[in-house]
Amino acid sequence: MTLLDFARGPALYWSTLIMVCGLVWRLAGVALLPFRPDRSAAGPQSRGRVRGALGTIVSRSLPRRTFLARTFATVVVGYAMHLGLLIILLGGAPHILLVAQATGLSWPSLPKGVVALASAVTLVTLVFVLVRRCTHPVLRLLSNFDDFLSIVLTLVPVATGILLAEETVLPYRTLLTWHILSVEAMMIWLPFGKLSHVVFVFAGRAVSGAKLGKRGATT
Amino acid sequence: MKPRDTLGQKLAGYGISRRALLKFAAAAATSLALPPGVAPAIAESLSGARRQSLIWLSFQDCTGCLESLTRSDAPGIERLIFDFISLDYQETLMAAAGAAADETLVRAARDNHGKYLLAIDGSVPTAEGGVHSMVGGRTNMDMLAELAEGAAAVLAIGTCAAYGGIPKAAPNPTSAVGIADLVKEKPIVNIPGCPPIPEVLTGVLVNFLTFGRLPDLDDLGRPLAYFGTTIHDQCYRRPYYDQGKFAHSFDDEGARQGWCLFELGCKGPTTRNACASLKWNGGTSFPIQSGHGCLGCSEPDFWDKGSFYTSLSGGEGPPWDAVGGAAAVGLGIGGAAAFAARRSRAAVDRQLAKEWQRDHGATATSKTEEDGP
């Protein structure tokens, strides 16, 4: 069995199962925790729990005007990276093909040039994020192994994906092997590290928003 | 043909001119990735070459390789060179049978000891001492060990001989292996393919007759000149891949337009062979040109790499019941963790209530006593 066969076979099989198991584990572990009953009275400007939850999911995804001047670069980089990843994942023809073959769901792909541009922007922002975390004294103090590993595990699939799409530097087989393996490494780590914000970010905002919405607080 | 005849004399007998031989030599030099200036030297070497003894054994095979190599539609110079080889033993092609055939084999091996080329198509079964494939009461393993010892070099023809091929596919009931798994002391060249391209065998023979050695090989023992690049890199549909134009099914507009077959499972990007350049049936076509993706038949274990129709970007992911099982396990672990947290929380609440009761209950009791009658 070649490394590519391993990547497309057992590694894909087990990394998918570990990711699914881990995500359900983490979500169930939090969802089934005892919630403190909210005994506060609804405020005069209460929007209700549901509207509060939905509103907070949106509002916390937008940059805060108060801090925008100071955090402009971080906001731009964050948006560019996440939008780029979204375009690569949902717009790249091979990724759609993977989903279609696994689930039967399919949708039109974006032109290769658009995905290539998004990939380049994502790679640059990820490198910027990594370098900044390594060099900024405060960020470095706040960072732990999880932070660095999560960035690297996102960066490597993007880098190998770009090389694979352009079929340059190394043979196609080698690039395909390392691209798939790096994605599988990310899938395995996803539920257990900070990459789990993929599923927790909106759930967390919704819970906060529901509480604040009932009380009528501005979010 | 007399044993001492040279190729030049034989070609002259067939009415092939020296100019034609030079043209062939130039083509051979190109296909072997040699500079054009080598062509006259190749023609000279071939003209003066003596008959090369070749012993061809068929083991665990389907005879497809031999069919491919002997059914060239036009008997060109390649075919004549193949005729020029002294094919001393080939069970399917030879007239002799039984004991006479065995005697032929023994004599050919003895007379050309250390000089003959040993060609093999088919894998070698090793389970139960190799009894799953026997010729004249002898196992393929025994015949291979004996004949490889006296060979100048071994040619593993077809994917079965090169890497085990279809007989080796899971569950491999005969424990089939390729030639290189058993022969360690002799130079081996693998000419994989299911079947292999006839011109590749001719090229290897030309190389051997001209230079007296096997051609340069890649890491899988294949001639670099023919297996140096992927089908994908030579494919005439490659521009469509680069443009992102793919056929999504075998009868859609993309398929009719002749767009890239990557999404339909083509293994061209990971398969090294010369199909896309040399083609088949006298250069007529090859699988992709006929509208079907490459199966990757010249790669080891091609039969066990999942569906031929799963694209390279896909893979053998888990089935839905396994995903459901993983989710259930996750739910169990998460539920258990939450349950443990709830119990821990309840224990803390009880402890707090007890302490509150102890502190405030005592105060309340003493207060009642003070306020008593």
Side-chain angles (χ1 to χ4, degrees), chain B residues 98-117:
Chain B
D102 283 347
E103 282 172 24
T104 306
L105 178 59
V106 170
R107 193 169 56 248
R110 187 187 58 225
D111 293 350
N112 300 289
H113 192 268
K115 290 183 241 169
Y116 62 84
L117 288 174

Side-chain angles (χ1 to χ4, degrees), chain B residues 1-365:
Chain B
M1 190 170 77
K2 288 178 284 186
R4 299 291 296 168
D5 281 351
T6 64
L7 179 58
Q9 290 164 335
K10 177 160 176 93
L11 292 176
Y14 277 105
I16 302 294
S17 65
R18 179 166 173 76
R19 176 182 290 276
L21 179 62
L22 272 168
K23 280 171 72 178
F24 167 74
T30 305
S31 77
L32 287 164
L34 297 170
V38 179
I42 290 178
E44 205 61 41
S45 296
L46 289 176
S47 298
R50 301 285 170 191
R51 295 188 78 192
Q52 169 64 47
S53 172
L54 179 72
I55 294 175
W56 186 311
L57 303 175
S58 293
F59 289 163
Q60 206 165 221
D61 73 321
C62 68
T63 320
C65 299
L66 191 64
E67 288 280 339
S68 163
L69 298 171
T70 53
R71 288 198 179 202
S72 302
D73 61 337
I77 297 178
E78 297 98 319
R79 177 68 183 275
L80 296 177
I81 285 180
F82 194 60
D83 287 347
F84 174 74
I85 295 290
S86 175
L87 188 55
D88 292 328
Y89 182 86
Q90 214 303 326
E91 290 145 13
T92 309
L93 300 180
M94 66 198 300
D102 283 347
E103 282 172 24
T104 306
L105 178 59
V106 170
R107 193 169 56 248
R110 187 187 58 225
D111 293 350
N112 300 289
H113 192 268
K115 290 183 241 169
Y116 62 84
L117 288 174
L118 179 63
I120 292 162
D121 62 331
S123 63
V124 187
T126 61
E128 278 101 18
V131 296
H132 298 281
S133 179
M134 302 177 79
V135 178
R138 298 180 65 204
T139 65
N140 293 166
M141 287 171 69
D142 286 346
M143 292 177 76
L144 178 63
E146 183 184 314
L147 290 164
E149 190 273 326
V154 182
L155 311 179
I157 296 172
T159 301
C160 296
Y163 310 123
I166 293 173
K168 193 189 169 197
N172 190 6
T174 64
S175 299
V177 296
I179 302 305
D181 290 320
L182 297 173
V183 177
K184 303 292 182 190
E185 305 298 325
K186 294 288 176 180
I188 299 174
V189 57
N190 291 327
I191 307 175
C194 191
I197 299 174
E199 285 83 351
V200 178
L201 176 61
T202 312
V204 171
L205 291 175
V206 166
N207 196 94
F208 190 79
L209 292 172
T210 305
F211 303 111
R213 66 177 183 85
L214 296 173
D216 291 336
L217 307 176
D218 70 2
D219 59 332
L220 290 172
R222 305 174 293 195
L224 262 177
Y226 299 101
F227 295 87
T229 54
T230 62
I231 299 287
H232 181 61
D233 287 341
Q234 310 162 52
C235 184
Y236 75 103
R237 297 196 190 206
R238 172 64 188 271
Y240 294 120
Y241 174 90
D242 292 332
Q243 292 166 26
K245 291 179 176 173
F246 300 102
H248 304 298
S249 73
F250 285 108
D251 59 354
D252 71 355
E253 186 56 27
R256 279 188 282 278
Q257 294 289 336
W259 289 354
C260 179
L261 300 169
F262 180 87
E263 292 194 5
L264 296 174
C266 181
K267 305 295 184 289
T270 56
T271 304
R272 290 173 181 269
N273 206 337
C275 300
S277 52
L278 292 177
K279 301 190 180 178
W280 291 85
N281 302 322
T284 305
S285 183
F286 72 112
I288 293 172
Q289 195 171 342
S290 303
H292 194 285
C294 168
L295 303 182
C297 73
S298 57
E299 296 295 321
D301 303 322
F302 80 101
W303 203 260
D304 286 327
K305 292 187 176 179
S307 166
F308 291 144
Y309 303 101
T310 301
S311 82
L312 282 167
S313 62
E316 297 302 303
W320 284 110
D321 54 347
V323 174
V329 171
L331 191 63
I333 299 172
F339 178 70
R342 279 175 181 269
R343 285 195 55 156
S344 169
R345 170 86 173 269
V348 170
D349 284 347
R350 277 198 302 276
Q351 181 66 26
L352 288 173
K354 202 181 285 177
E355 287 176 9
W356 190 90
Q357 184 67 32
R358 189 187 63 214
D359 297 344
H360 296 83
T363 311
T365 309

Side-chain angles (χ1 to χ4, degrees), chain A residues 29-47:
Chain A
V30 173
L32 297 176
L33 278 177
F35 281 92
R36 286 179 189 278
D38 185 5
R39 296 196 173 89
S40 64
Q45 293 180 338
S46 172
R47 302 186 305 283

Side-chain angles (χ1 to χ4, degrees), chain A:
Chain A
M1 178 183 283
T2 63
L3 201 55
L4 178 59
D5 298 335
F6 172 74
R8 295 181 74 237
L12 179 63
Y13 186 99
W14 285 108
S15 61
T16 306
L17 293 188
I18 290 170
M19 184 181 73
V20 169
C21 177
L23 283 176
V24 175
W25 165 6
R26 295 291 311 279
L27 280 171
V30 173
L32 297 176
L33 278 177
F35 281 92
R36 286 179 189 278
D38 185 5
R39 296 196 173 89
S40 64
Q45 293 180 338
S46 172
R47 302 186 305 283
R49 285 198 171 93
V50 175
R51 281 187 62 195
L54 295 174
T56 305
I57 287 175
V58 175
S59 68
R60 297 260 171 111
S61 302
L62 301 173
R64 309 293 287 184
R65 191 174 298 168
T66 320
F67 308 112
L68 192 56
R70 218 171 54 186
T71 60
F72 185 75
T74 311
V75 168
V76 170
V77 165
Y79 267 94
M81 184 181 73
H82 284 92
L83 284 174
L85 283 171
L86 202 68
I87 290 170
I88 296 167
L89 279 175
L90 300 182
H95 302 148
I96 298 170
L97 193 57
L98 176 66
V99 174
Q101 285 172 352
T103 66
L105 299 173
S106 184
W107 57 90
S109 62
L110 288 169
K112 197 177 173 187
V114 174
V115 179
L117 183 67
S119 307
V121 169
T122 308
L123 183 67
V124 169
T125 53
L126 279 165
V127 170
F128 173 80
V129 165
L130 184 62
V131 170
R132 186 157 182 271
R133 196 168 276 276
C134 291
T135 53
H136 194 284
V138 177
L139 266 181
R140 202 170 54 189
L141 201 64
L142 292 172
S143 302
N144 58 18
F145 177 72
D146 183 4
D147 292 296
F148 291 110
L149 185 64
S150 297
I151 295 172
V152 169
L153 286 179
T154 313
L155 193 153
V156 176
V158 174
T160 52
I162 291 172
L163 295 178
L164 180 62
E166 300 304 321
E167 291 186 43
T168 184
V169 180
L170 291 168
Y172 184 93
R173 178 197 290 265
T174 310
L175 292 169
L176 181 64
T177 304
W178 288 108
H179 181 61
I180 296 176
L181 284 175
S182 62
V183 171
E184 286 161 352
M186 185 176 71
M187 285 164 67
I188 291 170
W189 181 244
L190 191 139
F192 307 109
K194 290 190 176 170
L195 290 176
S196 61
H197 75 269
V198 170
V199 290
F200 279 121
V201 65
F202 296 119
R205 284 174 188 174
V207 170
S208 303
K211 282 183 184 171
L212 297 173
K214 183 193 166 194
R215 293 175 197 178
T218 306
T219 59

